[in-house]
Amino acid sequence: MTVRLRATTLVAGSAAAETLVLSEPLSFWGGLDSASGRIIDQWHPQKNAVMSGRILVMRAGRGSSSGSSVLAEALRRGTGPAGIVLLARDAIVTVGAMVAAELYGKSCPVVLASEADWMAITGAGSLAIDTQDEAAIEI
């Protein structure tokens, strides 16, 4: 059975993939190796996890403003996430995905989920994001 949850579109697109749920926010700047898609922040609980081709699920980003360029570079290289689900708006993450779409033609939809749906989203092994008609997350 598929459950369709409402979301808010931050960057349009569609993606379906296995999830990578982060228990802590991640700064892409210094936290992600854009060449491999691997989390390299040595203090992050998901250190060494690879986000390439997965739906990244995290409450929020953790700054630095240069993180946008790291995310865009990972998407250009094909090592970035297939999509991103956030609980809190994050301009840095959003800008990185927007830049990758504009400069490189690489799609990485970014959506904002609701607190009420967060447990179901973080518990899902895979997700689909679709922003065509009305932004939605399918579990």
Side-chain angles (χ1 to χ4, degrees), residues 46-117:
Q46 280 77 40
K47 180 185 176 209
N48 290 322
V50 175
M51 66 177 66
S52 302
R54 298 168 81 180
I55 303 280
L56 182 64
V57 178
M58 63 179 179
R59 287 188 162 271
R62 199 185 74 201
S64 149
S65 58
S66 299
S68 296
S69 62
V70 176
L71 175 59
E73 178 63 9
L75 293 168
R76 183 189 70 81
R77 291 174 173 236
T79 60
I84 301 173
V85 178
L86 299 169
L87 189 56
R89 288 182 188 271
D90 188 297
I92 294 167
V93 172
T94 303
V95 166
M98 291 173 74
V99 167
E102 281 297 313
L103 292 181
Y104 312 125
K106 302 288 184 171
S107 175
C108 176
V110 181
V111 295
L112 192 64
S114 73
E115 181 77 44
D117 296 331

Side-chain angles (χ1 to χ4, degrees), residues 11-32:
V11 179
S14 62
E18 179 183 320
T19 59
L20 173 60
V21 179
L22 302 186
S23 58
E24 298 286 333
L26 175 70
S27 172
F28 291 105
W29 180 256
L32 173 67

Side-chain angles (χ1 to χ4, degrees), residues 28 30-41 52 70 74 77 79:
F28 291 105
L32 173 67
D33 176 14
S34 62
S36 66
R38 184 174 304 279
I39 294 174
I40 57 172
D41 179 339
S52 302
V70 176
R77 291 174 173 236
T79 60

